[in-house]
Amino acid sequence: MKCIAIIPARGGSKRIKRKNVKEFAGVPVIAYSIRAALAAGCFDEVMVSTDDPEIAGVARRYGAVTPFMRSDATSDDYATTADVIAEVLERYAADGRTFDALACIYATAPFVTPRRLADAFGIIERGEAEGAFTCVEYSYPVQRGLVIGDDGRISMRHPEYATARSQDLQKTYHDAGQFYFSTVAAFTRRHSLWGPDTRPVVLPELEVQDLDTPVDWRLAEMKYEMLSFPRRIQAGDYSLVALTEVSPEVSELVRLGRNADDVRSRMVNTQVISREAHEAFVESLRTRRDKQYYAVFSPEGDFIGSVNLEWIGPDSVERGIWLDAGARGRGHAGRMLGALYALLADRRDVRTILTRVRPNNEASLALERSLGGVETGERDGCVMFETVIKP
């Protein structure tokens, strides 16, 4: 199934000036949507529809294409998102390029992740629905909403629910404003991003925030910081420093250590990583709140290896590790990971750690078992382990 990601990004902004390219946690906010789409692995094209040359330049810098500028008809205050999507599809079709599905990803969606995009695409690809989009549950039952009358007095909108238990009231959701998937056929038929045959992608409240005012922006940055893996972690006597924070020399040590034959042959990805690819990957981590790679330093301050973490669920993390040859056999991995697991459970409410190990990696198999990991099957030629962290 051929799918296009369309990121609408008009130059005009009424409440926050130049909102679509304003820096969010140090990076233009549109970069988060672009990089998530590129990393999702489900799009044949990631494009930005804009009327603004500066936005177009930023979009290209972060990997999107801008094959044409938006027309005057879709650049004013009255054009709808559906109008923009329709124009993009028409322009591509005129050039002989058509798609089976589309995703509209908003330019101000810093919480979007590649995994959520891929999961939503799967709904369309498997034919489970014509559309899918993000939503979030109202934090308070709408049935108990209040209104203020013309006389200034307050009352319940639905007094019949005054004594109903919260757990007995139907949950209600609202649009989270991150992304929308649709088959092209369905979109063309209804000229709308969703219709009756649409599945929800339900987000936790912490991952949802409007970006319409300066206060919204600051709240979103605070939430993003809370959701992101820390840049620095002290796991017992071991220091973990995000690759985005280390010196170029240490970053190169990580690349060379990972490419060593005795490390690489036991990795899930056994390919040699070039310096250019490594530097591009490290840069991409600046817009990934769901993933982080760390350089690990011993209690003596020596670089000994690397650990990587990725959120795969509300309380589940996938973890990887490798150590330099000189650091192996000294108990570093077990002590450091034990302290790291306890820290993640205490500060981030992590309850499950998932790992993948090559069957020929006896040391890592033994490590996972020593940490309480239980084999759950095989995937991509690796033994899968699940470690439950008890609170």
Side-chain angles (χ1 to χ4, degrees):
M1 173 175 279
K2 294 181 64 177
C3 188
I4 182 173
I6 302 169
I7 302 173
R10 193 163 66 97
S13 178
K14 300 299 182 184
R15 286 169 286 192
I16 298 180
K17 186 176 180 181
R18 309 297 294 164
K19 179 169 75 170
N20 290 323
V21 289
K22 178 179 170 65
E23 284 202 354
F24 182 95
V27 180
V29 70
I30 194 173
Y32 293 85
S33 298
I34 293 170
R35 284 182 167 172
L38 292 170
C42 57
F43 298 112
D44 298 273
E45 184 95 317
V46 176
M47 71 87 65
V48 169
S49 170
T50 185
D51 60 339
D52 188 279
E54 181 191 2
I55 293 176
V58 172
R60 290 191 293 269
R61 174 152 48 98
Y62 286 95
V65 297
T66 55
F68 48 82
M69 300 299 284
R70 191 184 294 189
S71 69
D72 291 341
T74 56
S75 299
D76 62 27
D77 293 339
Y78 302 100
T80 66
T81 301
D83 294 336
V84 174
I85 301 302
E87 178 180 72
V88 169
L89 294 176
E90 290 168 4
R91 291 290 298 269
Y92 272 91
D95 290 335
R97 298 188 65 187
T98 58
F99 301 90
D100 304 299
L102 65 90
C104 171
I105 309 172
Y106 282 142
T108 52
F111 298 105
V112 68
T113 66
R115 186 180 294 273
R116 292 206 190 280
L117 290 170
D119 288 347
F121 173 73
I123 293 172
I124 308 300
E125 187 179 40
R126 293 188 298 271
E128 297 172 7
E130 289 183 333
F133 74 95
T134 53
C135 62
V136 61
E137 182 184 350
Y138 280 98
S139 59
Y140 187 83
V142 296
Q143 297 90 336
R144 291 214 177 114
L146 305 174
V147 293
I148 299 175
D150 293 337
D151 61 358
R153 291 177 171 81
I154 196 164
S155 62
M156 291 191 69
R157 179 180 289 276
H158 301 288
E160 65 270 26
Y161 296 115
T163 61
R165 300 186 308 167
S166 296
Q167 59 265 40
D168 294 333
L169 299 175
Q170 185 179 25
K171 293 181 178 181
T172 310
Y173 301 82
H174 64 86
D175 186 352
Q178 282 192 10
F179 61 78
Y180 309 80
F181 274 80
S182 174
T183 64
V184 170
F187 173 81
T188 302
R189 183 175 69 248
R190 64 189 180 228
H191 196 69
S192 172
L193 287 170
W194 68 281
D197 186 22
T198 300
R199 290 286 183 93
V201 178
V202 182
L203 303 179
E205 190 173 1
L206 191 58
E207 295 183 25
V208 178
Q209 178 64 51
D210 286 336
L211 287 176
D212 293 327
T213 69
V215 172
D216 288 343
W217 201 275
R218 182 61 186 136
L219 286 172
E221 288 186 319
M222 292 169 64
K223 286 184 176 183
Y224 189 88
E225 185 69 21
M226 291 174 63
L227 287 165
S228 300
F229 287 111
R231 296 181 182 90
R232 295 174 183 269
I233 298 175
Q234 192 65 37
D237 294 330
Y238 297 85
S239 299
L240 283 65
V241 184
L243 296 190
T244 53
E245 305 297 310
V246 301
S247 67
E249 292 76 18
V250 171
S251 184
E252 180 65 0
L253 282 177
V254 173
R255 185 184 76 87
L256 294 175
R258 184 258 175 229
N259 281 344
D261 290 341
D262 60 340
V263 171
R264 180 172 50 82
S265 62
R266 292 175 172 82
M267 302 287 283
V268 175
N269 175 12
T270 60
Q271 295 181 343
V272 173
I273 305 299
S274 69
R275 178 178 291 185
E276 181 181 33
H278 174 74
E279 291 176 351
F281 176 73
V282 171
E283 175 60 28
S284 76
L285 292 173
R286 298 186 189 279
T287 50
R288 293 294 298 271
R289 58 97 178 159
D290 60 322
K291 175 183 286 192
Q292 192 56 270
Y293 279 63
Y294 297 91
V296 179
F297 297 89
S298 72
E300 296 74 32
D302 299 320
F303 169 71
I304 59 172
S306 178
V307 166
N308 57 282
L309 303 170
E310 181 176 2
W311 287 108
I312 57 173
D315 60 0
S316 301
V317 168
E318 184 167 351
R319 188 228 80 217
I321 185 174
W322 61 263
L323 295 181
D324 275 333
R328 296 174 206 153
R330 300 184 181 185
H332 288 308
R335 290 193 297 270
M336 184 270 294
L337 290 175
L340 177 62
Y341 288 7
L343 191 97
L344 290 173
D346 179 56
R347 298 186 183 178
R348 301 302 302 272
D349 203 29
V350 173
R351 291 292 171 259
T352 306
I353 304 288
L354 303 181
T355 53
R356 290 181 279 176
V357 180
R358 291 283 182 190
N360 64 344
N361 192 343
E362 294 294 338
S364 289
L365 292 171
L367 171 65
E368 300 305 328
R369 293 173 183 133
S370 73
L371 292 167
V374 176
E375 294 184 32
T376 59
E378 293 188 6
R379 190 176 81 192
D380 301 328
C382 294
V383 180
M384 304 297 298
F385 282 90
E386 180 177 300
T387 303
V388 176
I389 308 174
K390 295 180 180 180

